[in-house]
Amino acid sequence: MESNVTGELKAPAGASTAPAAKSGRFSLDNKMLFAIIIIAILAMAIYVRMGLLQYQGLFEPDGFEYYTAIKQAISQGFVLQNNTVNLSGYPWHNTFGEAPGLLYATLIPYAILQFVGITPLEVMRYVAIFFGLATAVLCYFVVKYLSNSKMLGLLAMIFIALSSGNVARTAGGVYRGDSFIGAFVLLALLFTLMAFREKRESWKYGLMLGAAIIIGISDIVWNGGSLTLAVYLGSTLLVFLYGFVFADKSVLKNNIMMLGALLLGYLLENMFVMLHFANTTNITLTDFAIIFGAVLVANVASIRLLEAKELQAVLGSMLKRIAALCVLGAVLMIVLIIVSPSTFSSILYLNGVVANNNIGYTTQELQKPDFDFLFASFGFELFLAPIGVILYLLFAHKIDSNTSKTTFRNGALGINASYGFAILLAYLLITSYLQSSAIRYNALVSVPIALFAAYAVYITGTLIKPYAFNLGKTQIQLVYLFGGIVFVILIYQGAFVAQESFSSTQADGINPSFLQAALWLSNNTATNATVLTLWPDGSVIEGWGNRTSFMDSTFGENTTRIEQFSQDFLFNDTPAYGYLVNDAQRPDYLFTRSFWFAELAGIAIEGNITGSNLTSYGFSQFTAFNASGTATNQTYTFGNGQYDAELLIKYLANGNRTVSAYVGLASGGGLAPIQHVMFENSTSGAYSIANYTGTAANYTLLLLFSGQQIVGAVLLGPSLPGTNLFKLLMECNYQQCAYNVPGSGVQMQLVYENSDSKIFKINYTN
């Protein structure tokens, strides 16, 4: 039987390998169609960034802290007087340690929108989406300017719009500096690319000046705003390498202008720091001067070398120029290591923020990313981006008229590059390095990944465009099949990102019950009341409860206070009167949360509780249990994959009962008796404890019940039940409190309780 489908790919007669512009109803030159596509992409970008808006407030504690500062600034005439946040810390208040522009990202639009009834919180909840859209639009213009292809620009827009890594920082409800910085980096690079192509000197200088100003402003918006400077610095290096290797003197001359913009941007950053418009440049003068000076000298020298006729024989071929660069680079690196090892270290680490203390080790966003995280952040773009780099090097001459091309082996292999490629590659390399150090940088690297992913798809489509296959009597162009595959991938990625967006929850266990408890403070306590709570929760207390917290997640992230709170109070087995009076400065209220059990290990590590002490505070929740038995003998079994437990209850004829519990590893080895079983009413908080009289391991099986039904079970480590943390969360209710010891000098009075939080009025008797 003859098949109707031929496997032979062939180019239609007269086909060209270059992309041909088409006109008509379905062409991107059709303004109506183009506008519809742009609107559709922006609509998708907005939709996948709206998931967190289903919740009250903001995504994470830091956002609530910024909300506190913004409300105060508005009350003080849109200026944060003395740069001090009055609800952050006591007896002295903490300074606003973030870049001032982080406030004005809300204050400026609010100053206008307040007249139509928009609140500061509403601006904060939506401003990240605006910057996400701005980033998508700028992605379009950057690659459109480089390639003169609307299709490539649209692909870049789609990829950044549907990038989970970018959505994570530009979603509604997220408020942080790295939500905004991507747009600034792209705008600075776009001005630079336009300046390279601009023929008019006045416009060229004006565009470079604009890039310099944006570099400086970046540091006002985010403490890590020097990323723009770092990308720009890396770009000058790669542009120099490109210009020298390809002997492009015009690019090298333009690069001197780019270095001038870089220097001006760095000076502006330092000026803003001196004027207190910014906090830090992150790049020291020594580091900057060494790197900047090396690139400038090499750039100027390269122009002279390329112009010197007597050196044409030495540097006349590309291979010789590459060899010369390798030797020069090795020499400079050795000199740098000898003369300024600190600068060499700064180059390696880019002064990035990585986990380097107890708090850093437990902060999720400072952990190193694994493959699962990277794929969840970037999807197929993770693979497409490096493919895009390779395809550009090999085939960019088919799509980019501004590429330089050289060949080896009589044209058997072609290598392409351009100043635009060098700039985008620097962006990718620097942000990729940052991403490798901590997961917090996924939004930064998402932009160059999206750009090169777009190149991968576009170049592939261009290469296969002349080819077709026969399906019966119908000839189908291969590019349509490829386009269908890409469309399916984008649909999948969009669905995945949307699902992630709308199924995500707020960070640090923020939930309606927690916010309700914080609001209770605002409505039922004195305006000058002070609150003691865990440091991330302190930000919510300040922003949502409008009360002063001893610690918080940003300005009041004091390591000494965090360690004292953990060691001297939470994990102490005495009332810790001395801590409350001398260290915590007599707080009026204590705010506790059941969520603390879920982050118990993190609290202990942050409090510098290590070794065997750390393991003794174990809290392992059982996720499955079974009940069986008769009216006089009941058996309950529990498991969670790590431990198995068994509870035996025997009802005696006199109406009493005996209780015994056993626990062991789920992997086997049998069960052993444990000393304590604690029953707690999940509604009233009433509890009772049964103790095993024989020899048994010093563990406690905590059973939560409602009515006659067990609704939860937890295995507790030997030291946890005696701590203030456990007493306050599990053994204190409106009638009694195990924390209170006569003569201790302090008593806790429960004044508010819900499913998440307990608020205690602290009464000092001495």
Side-chain angles (χ1 to χ4, degrees):
M1 178 180 291
E2 182 178 351
S3 173
N4 288 328
V5 180
T6 65
E8 178 185 3
L9 297 178
K10 59 181 181 179
S16 169
T17 57
K22 293 183 178 180
S23 60
R25 182 180 301 176
F26 300 107
S27 167
L28 292 181
D29 292 330
N30 184 314
K31 294 182 180 180
M32 179 64 71
L33 176 63
F34 181 73
I36 291 173
I37 294 174
I38 290 288
I39 292 171
I41 294 173
L42 294 179
M44 285 190 299
I46 293 172
Y47 177 73
V48 298
R49 286 164 172 77
M50 292 182 64
L52 291 171
L53 294 177
Q54 63 186 298
Y55 304 112
Q56 285 182 293
L58 298 156
F59 168 64
E60 57 190 344
D62 291 9
F64 285 89
E65 183 75 2
Y66 305 144
Y67 181 42
T68 302
I70 287 170
K71 288 189 295 182
Q72 179 183 324
I74 292 172
S75 69
Q76 296 174 340
F78 287 80
V79 176
L80 195 65
Q81 293 183 6
N82 301 318
N83 202 38
T84 300
V85 184
N86 295 336
L87 295 181
S88 177
Y90 65 85
W92 60 86
H93 302 306
N94 297 307
T95 58
F96 183 81
E98 295 291 336
L102 194 60
L103 297 181
Y104 287 96
T106 288
L107 291 176
I108 292 174
Y110 172 70
I112 301 170
L113 296 174
Q114 62 177 320
F115 299 108
V116 293
I118 302 296
T119 67
L121 180 61
E122 288 172 325
V123 175
M124 292 183 71
R125 281 164 59 84
Y126 285 92
V127 69
I129 297 179
F130 170 80
F131 276 92
L133 297 180
T135 300
V137 171
L138 286 168
C139 280
Y140 170 84
F141 281 110
V142 166
V143 295
K144 167 65 168 60
Y145 197 81
L146 285 174
S147 65
N148 198 32
S149 168
K150 292 180 180 178
M151 176 61 74
L152 181 55
L154 293 175
L155 284 170
M157 274 191 77
I158 293 172
F159 278 125
I160 198 63
L162 300 180
S163 171
S164 184
N166 191 268
V167 171
R169 294 294 184 263
T170 58
V174 176
Y175 197 88
R176 43 189 297 154
D178 50 356
S179 300
F180 314 137
I181 200 65
F184 287 90
V185 176
L186 283 169
L187 192 57
L189 296 183
L190 179 60
F191 279 9
T192 301
L193 293 171
M194 294 172 66
F196 267 70
R197 192 178 298 181
E198 181 59 54
K199 302 299 182 184
R200 294 165 293 182
E201 288 295 318
S202 59
W203 279 79
K204 188 183 291 285
Y205 284 111
L207 289 166
M208 284 296 189
L209 176 62
I213 293 173
I214 294 167
I215 292 173
I217 292 176
S218 296
D219 217 38
I220 298 178
V221 177
W222 179 41
N223 279 345
S226 289
L227 167 75
T228 308
L229 186 77
V231 170
Y232 216 79
L233 188 58
S235 297
T236 61
L237 175 60
L238 291 194
V239 168
F240 153 69
L241 294 176
Y242 160 76
F244 182 71
V245 169
F246 286 88
D248 193 331
K249 289 181 288 186
S250 65
V251 166
L252 290 172
K253 291 177 181 178
N254 278 327
N255 200 36
I256 292 178
M257 294 183 61
M258 189 174 179
L259 285 163
L262 176 67
L263 177 61
L264 179 57
Y266 184 70
L267 294 175
L268 285 173
E269 281 193 359
N270 283 273
M271 183 186 73
F272 291 147
V273 171
M274 288 187 292
L275 294 174
H276 303 292
F277 293 162
N279 293 329
T280 177
T281 64
N282 287 323
I283 299 178
T284 68
L285 178 60
T286 300
D287 294 343
F288 177 82
I290 291 175
I291 302 170
F292 175 86
V295 176
L296 178 62
V297 170
N299 201 97
V300 173
S302 296
I303 296 174
R304 297 291 180 263
L305 290 173
L306 292 173
E307 290 176 342
K309 293 182 179 180
E310 60 272 16
L311 293 176
Q312 289 298 313
V314 179
L315 299 175
S317 73
M318 175 175 290
L319 284 176
K320 291 179 180 179
R321 291 193 294 274
I322 293 175
L325 280 176
C326 291
V327 173
L328 178 62
V331 171
L332 287 176
M333 193 64 68
I334 293 171
V335 171
L336 188 60
I337 294 173
I338 295 173
V339 175
S340 182
S342 62
T343 300
F344 179 74
S345 176
S346 295
I347 294 172
L348 289 180
Y349 291 99
L350 299 173
N351 288 326
V353 179
V354 295
N356 55 10
N357 55 39
N358 288 332
I359 297 175
Y361 295 139
T362 59
T363 303
Q364 184 179 6
E365 68 173 27
L366 295 182
Q367 308 309 305
K368 291 183 179 296
D370 56 21
F371 176 79
D372 291 339
F373 170 82
L374 293 174
F375 186 73
S377 294
F378 309 115
F380 293 101
E381 296 176 37
L382 185 65
F383 308 105
L384 289 173
I387 294 174
V389 173
I390 296 170
L391 291 179
Y392 191 102
L393 289 170
L394 297 177
F395 304 108
H397 60 286
K398 295 181 179 294
I399 65 154
D400 188 349
S401 59
N402 294 300
T403 58
S404 294
K405 182 173 182 293
T406 187
T407 58
F408 300 111
R409 295 195 310 231
N410 297 320
L413 175 65
I415 294 180
N416 299 269
S418 70
Y419 59 82
F421 172 77
I423 290 172
L424 295 186
L425 184 61
Y427 193 0
L428 177 66
L429 292 176
I430 290 173
T431 54
S432 294
Y433 185 85
L434 287 172
Q435 174 70 99
S436 70
S437 69
I439 66 175
R440 68 178 298 180
Y441 298 113
N442 57 340
L444 306 182
V445 74
S446 68
V447 177
I449 282 180
L451 297 179
F452 279 108
Y455 269 109
V457 171
Y458 186 72
I459 294 175
T460 301
T462 300
L463 293 175
I464 66 174
K465 189 172 184 179
Y467 299 96
F469 63 92
N470 294 324
L471 183 62
K473 295 182 179 180
T474 304
Q475 188 179 72
I476 300 177
Q477 286 191 308
L478 190 59
V479 69
Y480 294 152
L481 177 61
F482 176 71
I485 294 173
V486 172
F487 181 75
V488 170
I489 290 175
L490 290 174
I491 292 296
Y492 170 82
Q493 183 159 325
F496 173 81
V497 174
Q499 190 273 333
E500 286 288 304
S501 175
F502 284 89
S503 62
S504 295
T505 58
Q506 290 166 287
D508 289 275
I510 298 172
N511 61 74
S513 295
F514 178 24
L515 297 180
Q516 182 182 13
L519 194 60
W520 183 92
L521 281 172
S522 180
N523 296 329
N524 295 276
T525 63
T527 56
N528 63 346
T530 56
V531 180
L532 178 65
T533 190
L534 196 65
W535 59 279
D537 300 331
S539 294
V540 181
I541 299 303
E542 295 165 8
W544 206 252
N546 296 304
R547 293 298 176 265
T548 304
S549 177
F550 189 54
M551 297 175 288
D552 54 56
S553 65
T554 50
F555 320 128
E557 187 183 284
N558 184 296
T559 303
T560 300
R561 289 186 173 187
I562 290 170
E563 291 185 359
Q564 289 175 341
F565 182 59
S566 296
Q567 295 179 14
D568 300 338
F569 184 74
L570 287 183
F571 293 101
N572 198 337
D573 58 3
T574 69
Y577 172 80
Y579 165 78
L580 291 172
V581 172
N582 300 319
D583 296 323
Q585 302 290 314
R586 291 180 175 264
D588 297 312
Y589 292 89
L590 174 70
F591 194 109
T592 65
R593 300 183 60 204
S594 57
F595 180 72
W596 291 359
F597 282 129
E599 49 185 10
L600 200 59
I603 296 173
I605 293 172
E606 290 159 6
N608 202 21
I609 297 172
T610 59
S612 59
N613 289 334
L614 178 61
T615 58
S616 69
Y617 296 113
F619 181 92
S620 183
Q621 188 166 2
F622 292 107
T623 55
F625 66 91
N626 244 340
S628 62
T630 65
T632 57
N633 293 278
Q634 292 184 335
T635 301
Y636 297 87
T637 57
F638 310 91
N640 60 12
Q642 183 178 9
Y643 298 104
D644 287 332
E646 187 175 79
L647 173 70
L648 303 178
I649 302 177
K650 184 175 182 179
Y651 295 92
L652 305 178
N654 60 6
N656 294 328
R657 65 181 180 179
T658 61
V659 177
S660 56
Y662 306 84
V663 70
L665 294 174
S667 57
L671 303 180
I674 58 176
Q675 285 188 355
H676 313 289
V677 178
M678 178 177 176
F679 297 89
E680 174 152 345
N681 188 307
S682 61
T683 303
S684 67
Y687 66 92
S688 63
I689 299 176
N691 298 311
Y692 187 77
T693 56
T695 303
N698 185 21
Y699 287 86
T700 300
L701 180 63
L702 169 63
L703 300 169
L704 302 174
F705 66 92
S706 178
Q708 299 297 317
Q709 300 294 320
I710 294 177
V711 295
V714 181
L715 180 65
L716 308 176
S719 301
L720 184 61
T723 63
N724 289 331
L725 183 150
F726 188 83
K727 292 172 185 175
L728 290 163
L729 287 174
M730 303 304 298
E731 299 179 346
C732 285
N733 52 47
Y734 290 108
Q735 289 76 40
Q736 59 182 342
C737 184
Y739 169 89
N740 294 332
V741 177
S744 66
V746 61
Q747 300 283 299
M748 295 287 178
Q749 177 189 355
L750 183 65
V751 294
Y752 179 86
E753 179 181 14
N754 65 22
S755 60
D756 176 271
S757 309
K758 286 184 176 180
I759 302 175
F760 296 89
K761 179 72 174 71
I762 307 177
N763 299 309
Y764 301 92
T765 57
N766 293 337

